[in-house]
Amino acid sequence: MYANIPPHSASTPREVHLVDPGSTDPLDAASICLDGIDLVVTTVHGRDVPPTRARALLARNRRHGSILAVTDGRMPGIDLTIASTVHSYGGIEQGRGRIKSITLDTTVHGRGTQHRTGRYTLTAPSFGETGLRWTPAPAGDLAGRRPLAAAQ
């Protein structure tokens, strides 16, 4: 994930566009979207992006001051990698019910960023509450666990 966040005014409207590139390369669609969209999220379908293609895409990204997030693959030259795996779900009892929380094991590393690993629980609001809650797991829950392998 490349994280170059430009300044944003609260009065500037935010838009979300979903683009299905069909059978074409999703990086071609992402490259075009970087010209006018602040945040572009794309997948590379589990493949490695060639270094020459990555350099051209990141140069276009920097030129337009956008944020480019790449999922499910590897791309050289990125500034930050965030990798998460599901540890457990909460709220499902006896094989049925609603998912009320998801616990993730997460690793973050990148240029100028210390390699960090943690476990976090995302909990849906209860009746009368608003907003999701992120809760870090107690340090004792991570004892003896080795860090996750993350792609960069």
Side-chain angles (χ1 to χ4, degrees):
M1 176 185 292
Y2 177 72
N4 177 21
I5 302 173
H8 172 68
S9 160
S11 63
T12 305
R14 291 291 186 173
E15 296 181 23
V16 175
H17 300 274
L18 177 61
V19 178
D20 181 1
S23 61
T24 62
D25 184 1
L27 290 178
D28 288 342
S31 179
I32 293 167
C33 289
L34 287 171
D35 289 344
I37 299 176
D38 293 338
L39 170 64
V40 176
V41 181
T42 190
T43 181
V44 291
H45 302 295
R47 64 188 169 115
D48 292 344
V49 177
T52 54
R53 182 80 189 273
R55 280 193 298 272
L57 193 59
L58 291 174
R60 185 176 202 143
N61 183 55
R62 287 184 185 106
R63 185 171 53 250
H64 293 287
S66 302
I67 300 169
L68 175 64
V70 176
T71 66
D72 193 28
R74 295 185 183 109
M75 188 164 123
I78 55 176
D79 290 340
L80 184 67
T81 298
I82 303 171
S84 293
T85 57
V86 175
H87 176 267
S88 61
Y89 297 95
I92 299 177
E93 298 175 16
Q94 299 176 355
R96 63 177 189 226
R98 293 181 183 241
I99 295 175
K100 295 180 182 176
S101 66
I102 299 174
T103 301
L104 302 170
D105 287 332
T106 303
T107 298
V108 177
H109 64 91
R111 293 183 195 166
T113 304
Q114 180 182 359
H115 184 94
R116 296 191 302 192
T117 301
R119 180 173 294 159
Y120 300 90
T121 301
L122 176 63
T123 306
S126 300
F127 182 74
E129 295 180 334
T130 59
L132 299 171
R133 291 187 317 271
W134 280 105
T135 309
D141 287 355
L142 296 175
R145 294 188 53 88
R146 65 171 219 251
L148 300 172
Q152 181 171 3

